[in-house]
Amino acid sequence: MNTEYMNLALKEAMKAYRKNEVPIGAIIVEDNKVIAKAYNKKNIKNFALFHAEILAIYKATKKLKTWNLSKCEMYVTLKPCGMCEKIIKESRIRNVYYLCDKLESKKEYDKTSFMLYNDNEKCAEYKELLGDFFKKQRK
């Protein structure tokens, strides 16, 4: 872990703090170079996806012109939430270093229910569509 990069993530968190945003900062590094940095903007932009990690990933993908960040590492001030964790994995980021574990949350927002739409025929059609798509991608 590199202290310099974590200090940069902390600077990003301070930017968020000064804007009355949740103070989380993220840095993405490739080949010992900072290629992206970001801080939370969820409240500022009124958009739930604007977490520091996701914004940093977006900037890195634009800079590298690829979604595959497998040669990259991320430094973030707080352990990523479930949503960010999934996007980090989907982006193939190699290592994530975080400064602190999450604080206890109230879970008051956790009221969304997910239910399987039970239609085996439609599911089979959709799986065939997915299979065809990925078969074409491999060619």
Side-chain angles (χ1 to χ4, degrees), residues 52-69:
E53 300 93 328
I54 293 172
L55 293 170
I57 288 169
Y58 180 70
K59 289 177 180 182
T61 59
K62 282 186 76 168
K63 182 168 184 125
L64 298 177
K65 296 179 174 54
T66 179
W67 62 267
N68 187 332
L69 303 178

Side-chain angles (χ1 to χ4, degrees), residues 21-45:
E21 181 63 72
V22 179
I24 299 173
I27 304 294
I28 296 180
V29 178
E30 181 189 52
D31 296 328
N32 294 313
K33 280 197 234 171
V34 175
I35 61 166
K37 53 187 177 176
Y39 58 90
N40 267 13
K41 292 184 179 176
K42 181 175 146 180
N43 294 328
I44 296 167
K45 299 291 186 177

Side-chain angles (χ1 to χ4, degrees), residues 3-29 34-42 44 50-57 59-60 74-78 99:
T3 304
E4 175 189 342
Y5 299 142
M6 192 56 79
N7 286 338
L8 288 173
L10 281 165
K11 283 184 182 179
E12 291 298 305
M14 284 303 298
K15 289 178 187 177
Y17 179 81
R18 285 192 292 273
K19 294 183 179 199
N20 203 29
E21 181 63 72
V22 179
I24 299 173
I27 304 294
I28 296 180
V29 178
V34 175
I35 61 166
K37 53 187 177 176
Y39 58 90
N40 267 13
K41 292 184 179 176
K42 181 175 146 180
I44 296 167
F50 279 27
H51 290 210
E53 300 93 328
I54 293 172
L55 293 170
I57 288 169
K59 289 177 180 182
M74 178 181 280
Y75 289 78
V76 62
T77 54
L78 190 63
L99 189 59

